[in-house]
Amino acid sequence: MWAASPSMVCEEPKHLVAHGYAEVRESPVGRRPRSSYSITPAGRRALAAWLAETPAPPALQFEGILKVLLADQGDASTNVNLLEAIEKQAADARAIAVERGRGYRDGEYIAGVDLEARAVVVAQTLAFLAEFHALVERWAAWSADLARSPDAGERAQQTFVAVAAGGRLLRWPGRPRTRRARWPSRPNVLSGKRRFLLG
């Protein structure tokens, strides 16, 4: 959700403390103290002001798509190899989202935080991440199928036409679908071979 290196994530709470937006409490854990951070009243006011601002548009930071764009500069297998790696990464990430969904369904959450009170925003965020990873997985599989196709050039032209018409490119009937929400619910898995359609 937020592009940042682990070192940046570790340093940011210290900056919040320095600005009076958070306070830190040290507690001994083994040989090293553990730092626990909590928000201050000034931090809550700053957070409320930030939340009231219009968010910036989504920004895509995706090394894989850049490599796919330049794949024709590699050898004949570069495109498909990249797409297979991307599909696996997305599948692994989606599996993590599924596992978290199961945990939330069973009431598992951050110690000391009421999941029921945060259920709506947690569900919204989890749904976005799960759908995003599923989209990348479908796109990578569709793209690899396109790259392997003997009529790839013709299908690429069809893709241009479909995008220009505002059509939906990726439909994958083999993917699980859920009917209108019942919680907990089980996905209705449609059987059959994967098919990639323009439409």
Side-chain angles (χ1 to χ4, degrees), residues 102 105 176-189:
R102 289 171 179 161
R105 176 198 63 192
R177 294 185 181 182
T178 48
R179 296 187 180 277
R180 204 161 72 173
R182 292 180 183 175
W183 194 47
S185 61
R186 299 190 64 177
N188 175 27
V189 181

Side-chain angles (χ1 to χ4, degrees), residues 7-152:
S7 60
M8 289 177 61
V9 173
C10 292
E11 288 298 316
E12 192 57 30
K14 299 175 184 177
H15 297 157
L16 294 175
V17 171
H19 285 85
Y21 295 153
E23 56 188 12
V24 61
R25 185 177 68 255
E26 305 284 352
S27 56
V29 178
R31 295 183 178 180
R32 300 182 62 182
R34 173 180 293 173
S35 299
S36 299
Y37 295 88
S38 57
I39 192 168
T40 63
R44 290 197 179 279
R45 290 192 295 272
L47 176 60
W50 178 71
L51 290 172
E53 297 174 356
T54 301
L60 182 62
Q61 187 175 359
F62 185 3
E63 183 185 38
I65 192 70
L66 177 60
K67 288 191 172 186
V68 168
L69 179 62
L70 300 173
D72 57 349
Q73 305 302 307
D75 60 35
S77 63
T78 297
N79 194 324
V80 171
N81 289 344
L82 286 168
L83 291 162
E84 288 177 346
I86 292 169
E87 182 179 6
K88 183 181 184 306
Q89 290 169 350
D92 291 345
R94 184 170 58 82
I96 293 173
V98 168
E99 194 62 32
R100 286 189 178 176
R102 289 171 179 161
Y104 297 156
R105 176 198 63 192
D106 297 337
E108 299 173 7
Y109 196 53
I110 303 168
V113 179
D114 183 6
L115 174 59
E116 185 175 352
R118 306 200 74 230
V120 170
V121 293
V122 171
Q124 290 167 338
T125 307
L126 178 66
F128 172 82
L129 294 174
E131 287 295 310
F132 173 75
H133 296 312
L135 168 64
V136 173
E137 186 181 0
R138 287 197 304 272
W139 165 80
W142 174 86
S143 297
D145 184 69
L146 171 62
R148 296 187 190 100
S149 175
D151 59 344

